[in-house]
Amino acid sequence: MPAPPPPPRLPPTSATSATSEPVSAPADELAAERAHLALARAELARMREHTLSLGADAGDAIAGDALAHTLWLRARALQDDPRTTLFFGRIDTEGAVGEDRLYIGRRHVTNASGDPVVVDWRAGVSTPFYRAGPTQPMGVRRRRRFGVEGGQITALEDEWLTPADTGPGDPDAGGTGRSALLAREIERPRIGPMRDIVATIQPEQDEIVRADVSTTICVQGAPGTGKTAVGLHRAAWLLYAFRERLARSGVLVVGPNRAFLEHVGAVLPSLGEITVRHTTVEELLAHAPVRAADPAHVARLKGEARMAQVLSDAVWSSVRPAPEALVVPRGSRRWRLPASQVQDILDELRTRGVRYAAARAMLPHRLAHAVLLEMERAGDSPDDRVQDAVARSAPVRAYVKQVWPQLTPGSVLAGVLGTGDGLAPDQQDVVWARPPRSPGSARWSVADLALLDEVADLLERTPSLGHVVLDEAQDLSPMQLRAVGRRAATGSLTVLGDIAQGTTPWSTDSWEESLTHLGKDPHADGTHLEVLVRGFRVPASVIGYAARLLPHVAPGLAAPESVRTDPGRLDVLQVPDAVAGTVAAVAAAAQDEGTVGVVVPDAWVDRVAAALTVAGLEHEVLDGEHAEERLLPVHLVPATVAKGLEFDQVVVVEPADIAAAEPDLRSGLRRLYVVLTRAVSGLTVVHARPLPAPLRQG
């Protein structure tokens, strides 16, 4: 891989040297910027105090509670974080009179007169901070970045974007991605949950973040390209730009497991957005407790899209032909609807395109209306009260129950899996060997949850949200994708994933196919596929090692390109005892700043944990549901939980066992690709057994 480009040559007036590390700016420059930071903090405190002083008297108790909750949310969003600054950058533009300066930060801060002190990074005027360059300066003369330590400005760095400032023969000066402060921020040690990346968003990322709310974006992102952070920042931008619309319809983030959601859960609150719901696919589809595990081939069959038609047929076949005439006594008269007339009503309701339960609710009223027409033909003058009484009468209710029975998701799915009705011969493996006595006693699997959700939507329409962010989408089955997609049936999605990291029996090989299952036309104007290949998290030595697996797991994908100045550290250690070697590697890695992730085969967790404890190395175990409450630097991670997480130093234990734990070679190598790309600074591979063949090559 070619060496990273040199840092830009800046004019002598810049507060940054031409080296790769920023230096302290002149005292007067730093003093002026620190004074502006103090002003911004004072104005933010004033705004928060003003919000807290507002009364919640809205005329009635319900409106008062709603107003009080709104004010509380506003005050919480205005809290200052002393660990960081209120702004991270500045752009100087040539205005109508002199030079205009805009400070770019995480939230909007104004003075008492309403003039901006800090501009929210999501505002339209902030876009040039992320996208301006020498070839398209977008009216920006200078872009300034700030170095921050402990909530104080410690350094600054300028990029001059206009030809008069960059000088002749220097077309690339100030180009985005060559800033020493930017590089230092990207390569900062990872401690605690994922941080926001508002200070380091790159132009190609910013275009995704600011895509219109009506656009569904699918992001194919290699490890370390920031796709997860981009998706979260897109949610924050949408809530800023379309707040009234999305406040009503809601925004949802769907992640692979609870540990991942805890890892990313601090990003949106740090940007002032605290109303977004985070969930996993299993939690989203929790129609019943999971008490069974399917073999891989059965899970794959249950996840296939053709199950949707099987379930639809099962639901609508429950509507029975009209067996006989409907007779409704009314006073001294008996009103009769022939079976053929009832059948016409049943057929018409089935073709209306409404859900099963909605059509069932219409049926008694349609029958009652037909009876009223008979009354009118006989010379009576019935009104709406008579029709309602007929619809609620015992004969009509009994007839509806007979021809259009009430269903539950569990009863429908239990019928399909218990009998195999509607299934193709090659799907018979999904049929239960021992059907349960009742749907309530059924032992449902994770794959069954998506099927239950499909039936639930056939019975009653699932409410749609305004926007859904779906991460690690390559791991969802077609039926799971359908379940997520119906939550955005009238909204849009941000779909994030990497085909090379698909590790489930049903992982996708085509984003077009996945988008189709999500209910979005991949070829429509409102749907776009974006590819991110520039890696900001994983250093070159680590990504180069992991990329040896790509030809075997995703031949059509290009290898990611690390743009970091630090190539990182890679150590591959063959040892006689993998557990003892792991303890030694962890002890060495723990000497460095930041977090240490120890990724082991799932079956090894207990013995490695015991060995770390004996060695006096305190650690947390990530089980996929939650982390322990202690905030320790060393994390013991089962291989199946590593996806989406990141650590400064990563120790991967016995790659051959990690790969062998998967049902086939390709999914095993994909799992290995995932765990090898979790490192931000250094990777140590500890093995006693021979490495998988692709890693031995080169």
Side-chain angles (χ1 to χ4, degrees):
M1 183 173 292
R9 178 177 62 80
L10 299 174
T13 55
S14 171
T16 303
S17 72
T19 64
S20 60
E21 289 295 325
V23 298
S24 298
D28 57 341
E29 290 273 352
L30 276 177
E33 300 296 10
R34 287 169 176 166
H36 192 80
L37 175 59
L39 170 66
R41 285 203 153 115
E43 295 294 352
L44 182 68
R46 178 193 58 78
M47 293 169 63
R48 188 168 189 272
E49 290 172 2
H50 174 69
T51 299
L52 292 172
S53 69
L54 296 175
D57 185 8
D60 62 75
I62 295 177
D65 289 344
L67 179 57
H69 181 66
T70 300
L71 293 174
W72 176 81
L73 291 175
R74 171 67 174 164
R76 184 175 172 184
L78 291 172
Q79 285 181 324
D80 189 10
D81 185 351
R83 298 168 297 179
T84 185
T85 58
L86 289 176
F87 54 84
F88 47 80
R90 190 184 97 187
I91 52 176
D92 300 349
T93 61
E94 293 294 344
V97 180
E99 188 176 67
D100 293 330
R101 294 179 176 178
L102 291 177
Y103 286 84
I104 314 300
R106 288 170 174 80
R107 55 182 53 84
H108 198 70
V109 181
T110 62
N111 60 23
S113 301
D115 298 322
V117 177
V118 179
V119 177
D120 194 301
W121 68 276
R122 297 170 287 186
V125 294
S126 300
T127 304
F129 178 78
Y130 298 105
R131 300 192 192 179
T135 57
Q136 290 185 316
M138 301 177 70
V140 177
R141 180 170 180 258
R142 170 170 58 182
R143 172 169 44 218
R144 171 168 286 182
R145 301 182 190 275
F146 298 102
V148 179
E149 295 293 340
Q152 292 298 320
I153 297 174
T154 58
L156 54 87
E157 182 180 73
D158 289 336
E159 299 173 61
W160 299 86
L161 302 181
T162 58
D165 296 308
T166 58
D170 192 16
D172 293 328
T176 302
R178 296 185 177 185
S179 158
L181 278 176
L182 185 64
R184 189 174 76 174
E185 176 62 24
I186 289 174
E187 299 174 19
R188 183 190 296 269
R190 265 53 172 175
I191 299 176
M194 177 185 284
R195 303 188 304 268
D196 65 65
I197 61 167
V198 289
T200 62
I201 294 174
Q202 299 297 285
E204 68 270 26
Q205 296 174 326
D206 190 64
E207 291 182 6
I208 297 171
V209 167
R210 297 177 193 265
D212 188 75
V213 68
S214 62
T215 302
T216 288
I217 297 284
C218 179
V219 181
Q220 160 60 42
T225 53
K227 57 183 177 294
T228 295
V230 166
L232 295 173
H233 286 68
R234 172 157 167 72
W237 181 83
L238 289 172
L239 284 165
Y240 175 88
F242 304 93
R243 185 166 303 279
E244 183 176 350
R245 174 175 173 178
L246 293 180
R248 296 192 305 267
S249 56
V251 175
L252 176 69
V253 176
V254 183
N257 53 56
R258 182 49 55 180
F260 170 85
L261 293 178
E262 289 183 5
H263 179 62
V264 306
V267 172
L268 286 170
S270 74
L271 301 174
E273 301 298 344
I274 57 178
T275 59
V276 178
R277 179 186 167 204
H278 295 67
T279 188
T280 66
V281 173
E282 287 79 6
E283 292 169 349
L284 183 67
L285 311 182
H287 295 277
V290 174
R291 298 190 296 165
D294 290 320
H297 76 286
V298 172
R300 180 182 58 78
L301 288 170
K302 288 182 177 180
E304 290 181 350
R306 53 181 171 161
M307 287 297 298
Q309 188 60 53
V310 171
L311 296 175
S312 178
D313 293 343
V315 166
W316 289 103
S317 65
S318 300
V319 180
R320 298 160 187 160
E324 56 191 10
L326 169 63
V327 179
V328 180
R330 181 77 181 169
S332 61
R333 302 284 301 271
R334 292 166 60 88
W335 303 97
R336 183 178 183 277
L337 292 182
S340 60
Q341 187 175 355
V342 174
Q343 188 62 50
D344 289 342
I345 294 174
L346 297 178
D347 293 342
E348 191 270 335
L349 286 175
R350 290 188 58 167
T351 59
R352 286 179 64 95
V354 298
R355 296 302 195 268
Y356 180 92
R360 186 179 190 275
M362 296 177 189
L363 179 57
H365 297 281
R366 294 298 306 277
L367 295 174
H369 179 70
V371 171
L372 253 67
L373 293 179
E374 294 297 322
M375 293 179 178
E376 291 174 350
R377 292 189 188 100
D380 288 353
S381 301
D383 55 19
D384 290 343
R385 290 174 298 177
V386 174
Q387 179 171 328
D388 290 340
V390 172
R392 295 194 303 269
S393 66
V396 170
R397 287 189 285 111
Y399 200 95
V400 169
K401 184 177 181 180
Q402 182 181 12
V403 299
W404 205 295
Q406 190 167 8
L407 302 177
T408 65
S411 65
V412 174
L413 184 56
V416 171
L417 299 184
T419 64
D421 289 345
L423 295 173
D426 64 336
Q427 290 179 292
Q428 291 299 316
D429 282 351
V430 308
V431 177
W432 283 324
R434 294 182 179 178
R437 290 188 298 272
S438 68
S441 63
R443 296 175 58 84
W444 304 112
S445 67
V446 170
D448 292 330
L449 297 183
L451 303 181
L452 290 169
D453 193 76
E454 184 78 23
V455 178
D457 185 68
L458 290 166
L459 300 181
E460 297 186 61
R461 187 180 300 275
T462 303
S464 177
L465 299 167
H467 193 79
V468 175
V469 178
L470 174 61
D471 207 351
E472 304 296 349
Q474 76 281 345
D475 278 341
L476 270 61
S477 72
M479 293 303 294
Q480 289 173 326
L481 291 170
R482 287 174 59 87
V484 174
R486 66 177 60 103
R487 267 79 180 174
T490 60
S492 56
L493 298 114
T494 298
V495 183
L496 312 168
D498 180 10
I499 288 177
Q501 297 186 59
T503 53
T504 58
W506 44 59
S507 55
T508 187
D509 290 318
S510 165
W511 287 122
E512 289 190 352
E513 181 182 340
S514 294
L515 286 168
T516 300
H517 294 316
L518 284 165
K520 305 299 179 181
D521 183 353
H523 304 293
D525 291 340
T527 304
H528 296 288
L529 172 64
E530 302 288 342
V531 180
L532 298 179
V533 295
R534 294 207 305 157
F536 307 98
R537 173 174 59 80
V538 186
S541 62
V542 175
I543 198 63
Y545 183 69
R548 297 179 185 181
L549 300 171
L550 275 179
H552 305 273
V553 299
L557 293 183
E561 305 167 5
S562 178
V563 299
R564 297 179 52 164
T565 57
D566 181 0
R569 175 189 55 79
L570 171 66
D571 295 318
V572 182
L573 307 177
Q574 185 167 13
V575 296
D577 184 330
V579 174
T582 298
V583 171
V586 172
Q591 301 303 312
D592 296 326
E593 183 182 6
T595 55
V596 180
V598 188
V599 186
V600 302
D602 287 28
W604 288 45
V605 171
D606 290 342
R607 53 176 156 162
V608 173
L612 292 175
T613 301
V614 170
L617 294 168
E618 290 189 292
H619 58 278
E620 297 180 6
V621 178
L622 301 184
D623 59 7
E625 297 301 321
H626 56 81
E628 296 178 12
E629 293 300 322
R630 297 173 296 161
L631 296 178
L632 299 175
V634 179
H635 302 262
L636 182 57
V637 187
T640 56
V641 178
K643 187 172 294 182
L645 304 180
E646 59 182 31
F647 308 93
D648 284 283
Q649 309 291 332
V650 170
V651 179
V652 174
V653 182
E654 209 59 88
D657 281 19
I658 291 176
E662 300 298 323
D664 56 67
L665 177 61
R666 190 184 73 157
S667 58
L669 294 180
R670 283 185 169 186
R671 178 74 67 190
L672 195 53
Y673 182 74
V674 170
V675 303
L676 291 174
T677 54
R678 302 302 96 202
V680 174
S681 300
L683 171 66
T684 301
V685 177
V686 177
H687 68 104
R689 296 180 56 195
L691 293 170
L695 294 181
R696 297 198 299 268
Q697 299 168 1

